[in-house]
């Protein structure tokens, strides 16, 4: 029986997910991946989704491209890693779709959940870490880099996404919430401590 777990890091743009996904994966000797873009086909889909020329993309198209990436991601990365008893650490997961395409774009969250369940063969993340950073700090961080199509969305969109994540934290099981305003070292330590404790509880 495998003891490997599927671990997802979530949060708004600029919260530090990518940095801490890498650090956590390294400490756990886990497979590091991301959504979208964790596979060859996913990288092509990510390019379409992030392209700033695609401002005319319909929200349903966006959601279906995310689901297509997720299906390939599960088949190529997540299931094989868990099958060989290796943890998976992913920068984003199904919960980003529920927050961004559901709450942010106004699509039906229940339908998005059902599509993602089908894409994932009902295997949602075992552990979710949410890095919490106030939007005013995130705006300062994003101002220092070239924004992609999502990062160009306005404050109202990200307010809805933020509300979505807050709702998911309280309705989708026992998430680990970490204060992302601390130093990188403090955030790393908090994530590692909480995740290793949760892994022990799940073993």
């Amino acid at each position: 029986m495998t003891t490997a777990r599927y671990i997802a890091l979530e949060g708004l743009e600029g919260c530090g997910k990518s940095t801490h996904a890498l650090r956590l994966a390294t400490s756990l000797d886990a497979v590091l991946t991301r959504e979208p873009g964790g596979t060859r086909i996913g990288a092509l889909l990510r390019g379409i989704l992030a392209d700033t020329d695609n401002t005319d993309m319909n929200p349903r198209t966006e959601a279906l491209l995310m689901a297509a990436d997720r299906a390939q991601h599960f088949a190529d990365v997540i299931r094989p890693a868990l099958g060989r008893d290796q943890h998976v650490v992913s920068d984003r997961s199904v919960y980003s779709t529920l927050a961004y395409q559901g709450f942010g774009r106004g699509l039906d969250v229940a339908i998005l959940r059902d599509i993602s369940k089908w894409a994932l063969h009902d295997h949602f993340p075992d552990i979710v870490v949410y890095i919490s950073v106030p939007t005013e700090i995130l705006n300062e961080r994003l101002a220092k880099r070239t924004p992609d199509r999502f990062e160009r969305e306005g404050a109202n969109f990200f307010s809805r996404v933020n509300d979505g994540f807050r709702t998911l934290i309280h309705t989708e099981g026992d998430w680990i919430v970490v204060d992302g305003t601390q130093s990188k070292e403090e955030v790393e330590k908090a994530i590692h401590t909480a995740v290793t404790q949760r892994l022990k509880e799940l073993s």
Side-chain angles (χ1 to χ4, degrees):
M1 179 179 176
T2 181
T3 58
R5 301 298 176 182
Y6 171 24
I7 305 163
L9 270 69
E10 294 287 2
L12 293 173
E13 307 294 331
C15 73
K17 293 182 318 316
S18 299
T19 295
H20 292 293
L22 172 59
R23 293 185 178 194
L24 181 62
T26 300
S27 70
L28 297 177
D29 192 25
V31 171
L32 174 66
T33 188
R34 67 178 182 175
E35 288 189 10
T39 65
R40 182 188 66 81
I41 290 173
L44 298 174
L45 295 172
R46 184 184 181 91
I48 295 169
L49 287 159
D51 193 333
T52 54
D53 288 336
N54 294 334
T55 55
D56 58 341
M57 185 180 296
N58 183 273
R60 293 190 182 199
T61 302
E62 181 181 282
L64 290 169
L65 289 174
M66 289 292 188
D69 169 85
R70 188 159 294 124
Q72 195 71 36
H73 190 219
F74 185 79
D76 287 0
V77 179
I78 299 169
R79 182 163 56 188
L82 297 178
R84 60 178 181 267
D85 207 21
Q86 187 172 15
H87 296 309
V88 175
V89 174
S90 181
D91 178 352
R92 294 202 181 282
S93 71
V94 55
Y95 296 114
S96 281
T97 283
L98 301 184
Y100 278 75
Q101 284 75 53
F103 289 87
R105 301 294 190 204
L107 298 179
D108 190 305
V109 172
I111 292 175
L112 294 174
R113 188 191 312 278
D114 286 343
I115 293 170
S116 289
K117 284 180 65 178
W118 180 71
L120 287 166
H121 296 259
D122 291 336
H123 197 135
F124 276 39
D126 301 299
I127 300 171
V128 184
V129 178
Y130 182 78
I131 302 177
S132 178
V133 180
T135 53
E136 57 269 22
I137 295 177
L138 294 176
N139 290 336
E140 293 175 4
R141 294 179 182 179
L142 292 175
K144 299 176 183 178
R145 67 194 200 193
T146 303
D148 63 20
R149 190 173 67 88
F150 287 102
E151 293 167 348
R152 288 188 176 189
E153 294 290 347
N156 288 339
F157 174 79
F158 283 109
S159 177
R160 294 193 299 273
V161 173
N162 188 47
D163 289 343
F165 273 124
R166 294 298 174 187
T167 299
L168 294 172
I169 287 169
H170 294 294
T171 60
E172 295 291 330
D174 189 15
W175 286 25
I176 296 167
V177 179
V178 175
D179 179 3
T181 64
Q182 305 173 91
S183 70
K184 288 182 180 180
E185 290 69 28
E186 289 172 319
V187 174
E188 178 183 6
K189 181 178 179 180
I191 291 173
H192 184 268
T193 299
V195 169
T196 52
Q197 178 60 37
R198 192 66 54 83
L199 288 171
K200 290 178 182 178
E201 294 169 357
L202 292 174
S203 63

